[in-house]
Amino acid sequence: MTRNFDQYTKKRLSRYYELARQEAERLRDRKVNSIYQTYPEIKELENKKIQAGIVQIRNKISGFVEQNTFELAEIEQELTKVLNLYNIPLDYMEPDYSCKICHDRGWIGDSYCSCVDRVLIEINQQTNLYLPAPDQTFANFDLNVFSNQKNPVFFQGQLSPQEAMRGLRTIAKRYVNNFHDNPENLYLFGTTGTGKTFLMSCIANELSNKGVNLVFIRAVKLFELMAQRRTLLNSFSPDPEERDLVNRKFDLINKTELLCIDDIGLEAKGLLNTYSDLIVLLDDRYNANLPVIMTGNLKPSELAEDYDERIQSRITGNYQLLMFEGPDLRTQTAKGKMEQSAD
Ligand SMILES: [Zn+2]
């Protein structure tokens, strides 16, 4: 299949496959570890096999007679016996790639694998579903909209909102640069109109341009989706099409490389079980080493009281906390506009 994709699509494809392989290998590691824990004799035999292999190589190099080939074969026989005994496949160390043809590389020889079509649909679906506003970028970041006056109400008068924002922008750029080596969780909190969503969008747009696959979703939408999913789960005869669609969306959110949740607030209060669903989502992503960025107007200390203690403990434990303070830019801009139109 000779195909030509634009640079951006190529980047996204290669990132997609890289992550798919990593995920398959991560699951393999977990599986192998649990096998070793349950059957220590298997681990012992694998270790012996490695040792015997090393001795064999050494002997070959130094021109020794190969008497230990026999030992290696014996160990392998024993290993096969034990694996069969416990019904463990002999290739248990092979990752379970989702494409058996290309092993999640997207390529066979010098042409694209047929799984590329499925992946493209997935990637495009994501692009169409949830992305940040495209104009909220570092290039469009104007520090001058933030007040340069120190005010005792903000940052105890130690920093002007502009100085604080300059620091936060540096942190955000560093986050982007370190994303692949050290993907961290962030919680951006502060009152309305202080630039939290804007900064999160800058990060998301920059990473998206680098081919990172991400989901940017408003908390209200996420909670709606989780409630819908739960209703379908509890329904005796759910509409299969609706169920598939909701599951697909949720799967996307669960597995995307970076999840950005905008404006975590109190909107889900009263919706049954949504907090538990959010906690499961956050835990799944944490265990899979998939980062989350959230914005919200609640201080970490207010999260337990107004939200949920379990969410608070996760955020304060696993998230870098970024504080935003300053006058509400939205009312300021609206005021400015009104004054202008009054002229
Ligand atoms: Zn393939």
Side-chain angles (χ1 to χ4, degrees), residues 17 99 101-104 106 113-116:
Y17 283 114
C99 179
I101 306 168
C102 68
H103 287 187
D104 296 347
C113 178
S114 55
C115 66
V116 160

Side-chain angles (χ1 to χ4, degrees), residues 130 217-228 250 253 259 261 264 274 278 281:
Y130 317 101
I217 188 169
R218 283 181 56 80
V220 192
K221 282 267 161 236
L222 178 63
F223 285 125
E224 266 173 28
L225 187 69
M226 290 192 295
Q228 205 183 353
F250 195 76
I253 290 168
L259 175 62
I261 308 173
I264 284 264
T274 20
L278 178 64
L281 174 68

